[in-house]
Amino acid sequence: MDADPDAVGAAIAASEHLAPYRTANTGARLWVAFSGGMDSTVLLHALSAWPRLAAVHVNHGVAEESLAWVRHCGEIAGELGVAFRAIETSAKPTGNLEARLRKARYAALASALAPGDAVAVAHHADDQAETRLWQFLTGRHPGGMPATRALAAGRLVRPLLQVRRASIAGYAKRHGLRWVDDPSNADLALDRNFIRHRLMPLVQERFPATFKELAAPRRAPVPTETLSATAQGHEVRAWLERAGMPLAHRTVAEIRRQGLAAPDRNPVVRVAPGISARRHQGVWRLVRDEVGQPPAEMRAIPPTVLKLPAGELSWRRASQGIAAGRTLNVRARSGGEKLHTAAGTRTVKALFQQNRVPPWLRSTWPLLYDGDTLVAVPNLGLAASESTPGGWTPAWTPHKP
């Protein structure tokens, strides 16, 4: 994470979460959360040649410069040839204004997303370190920010989380970019600004190894260990502790309570940002938030491997299957779908139940269509009409929870 202007482009090129939006063969849109500051200006510039890219600016209307910032952002987006949208929002100037503005900002970003869209934000490694220190000092679990998470009908993606602020500044200088500075970023009455300007310089100077740990990528939970639905309180606490999860009393109590729900129920209990405990078939599992549905109008052509936000669609040779080179539409499940197999008509819901597919994987499971006809549910079923000798059957590998 040394200062390196080339680190910005390298991080974007390596981002698996941005990969589905790199080409124009998808109807989904990639948005950039564009405040007009240096970080988001660099991110927008680095992505400006991507297809179907758009910038979205959230105007809180709090600062006197708000309207000037909207104009600036529109001008920069226009110069880069990027579509631009400004969303006005407001937060009451009472209580924790910093938290209110953050909540309003994410709500506004969520409102811009159509199903399958993603919004990229410019949080970087220094932001990650500051967030973890803020979480620790305010009594929260210092898990940091995830590289991606669900946001309304789409995803929020942070492709620069392993890039240092100095590298972003180097990129901005190399390309002669211009940006606006928000005076509120220097207000030490705000917790995050105090941490950034007063505490983090001391940590970097005195404890450089600690800074690297604070800025490291978010660690994944231990998803393989399950917990009995009838576990006692101390067992729940031990399970969460082994996975590095917060040990809030109300969370433990809720898992205990929901463990007594009817066998046909699949309760969900939030245990940390982006992570939930989910009960299925008598056991609890720790599961990350769903990673997004297939972008609209994406195509699948056997035997070409297709990377989707939630996993990978590949192909296996079969005695009979789908003809090579045939173009199919990839769609998300909406409910009520039926597949006409050689063994009879099956609903997609029944196929999921018969094959014990966990509920949290079902909404992101890709379905393959020829026009309006469902021809395959990867791993689970193939339409009787798909009988090309030596054809291909689709295989779906979801990302690990």
Side-chain angles (χ1 to χ4, degrees), residues 229 233 236 240 248-261 267-271 277 279 284:
V236 175
L240 293 173
H249 175 75
R250 62 181 178 276
T251 302
V252 175
E254 186 64 11
I255 290 175
R256 286 279 297 118
R257 188 181 74 81
Q258 294 284 9
L260 302 176
V268 179
V269 178
R270 177 71 72 181
V271 299
R279 197 197 73 174
W284 289 99

Side-chain angles (χ1 to χ4, degrees), residues 78-346:
E79 292 172 6
L80 294 174
V82 175
F84 176 73
R85 177 181 177 186
I87 300 177
E88 292 189 3
T89 184
S90 61
K92 296 180 180 179
T94 59
N96 188 336
L97 181 60
E98 191 177 14
R100 288 179 180 274
L101 291 176
R102 188 179 308 111
K103 183 177 180 180
R105 182 163 56 252
Y106 282 114
L109 294 176
S111 71
L113 301 183
D117 285 1
V119 58
V121 294
H123 293 139
H124 46 70
D126 294 70
D127 291 327
Q128 180 75 294
E130 292 161 8
T131 295
R132 280 201 173 101
L133 188 54
W134 173 79
Q135 289 172 332
F136 176 77
L137 293 174
T138 54
R140 295 168 171 82
H141 174 64
M145 297 179 288
T148 184
R149 67 173 176 85
L151 183 64
R155 302 294 300 170
L156 183 143
V157 180
R158 297 181 173 100
L160 303 182
L161 272 187
Q162 296 187 57
V163 180
R164 291 296 306 272
R165 180 181 284 120
S167 296
I168 292 173
Y171 181 103
K173 181 178 180 180
R174 172 188 290 180
H175 293 278
L177 304 183
R178 68 183 197 278
W179 60 88
V180 297
D181 290 312
D182 185 347
S184 70
N185 289 334
D187 183 359
L188 297 184
L190 300 178
D191 288 345
R192 289 177 182 268
N193 288 342
F194 181 82
I195 290 172
R196 175 177 303 165
H197 298 297
R198 291 289 180 86
L199 299 186
M200 290 310 302
L202 297 177
V203 171
Q204 293 186 66
E205 178 183 358
R206 182 86 178 191
F207 307 104
T210 298
F211 177 84
K212 289 183 178 180
E213 282 298 309
L214 289 171
R218 181 170 174 167
R219 295 173 178 81
V222 180
T224 55
E225 183 180 357
T226 60
L227 177 73
S228 170
T230 58
Q232 299 301 307
H234 69 281
E235 295 173 306
V236 175
R237 289 183 62 84
W239 178 63
L240 293 173
E241 186 174 18
R242 287 193 298 273
M245 296 295 104
L247 303 178
H249 175 75
R250 62 181 178 276
T251 302
V252 175
E254 186 64 11
I255 290 175
R256 286 279 297 118
R257 188 181 74 81
Q258 294 284 9
L260 302 176
D264 61 341
R265 303 295 298 275
N266 296 295
V268 179
V269 178
R270 177 71 72 181
V271 299
I275 301 172
S276 296
R278 293 177 177 261
R279 197 197 73 174
H280 180 56
Q281 296 183 341
V283 296
W284 289 99
R285 292 176 174 83
L286 290 176
V287 180
R288 294 192 190 103
D289 286 346
E290 294 172 349
V291 294
Q293 297 179 343
E297 301 179 10
M298 182 164 271
R299 305 286 188 260
I301 304 175
T304 302
V305 174
L306 184 63
K307 294 185 181 296
L308 297 171
E312 182 177 277
L313 181 68
S314 58
W315 301 87
R316 297 171 183 164
R317 183 75 76 174
S319 57
Q320 291 186 326
I322 299 172
R326 183 173 172 198
T327 300
L328 300 173
N329 298 319
V330 183
R331 298 179 189 169
R333 183 187 179 203
S334 59
E337 299 89 352
K338 294 181 180 180
L339 183 68
H340 302 289
T341 72
T345 300
R346 298 285 188 273

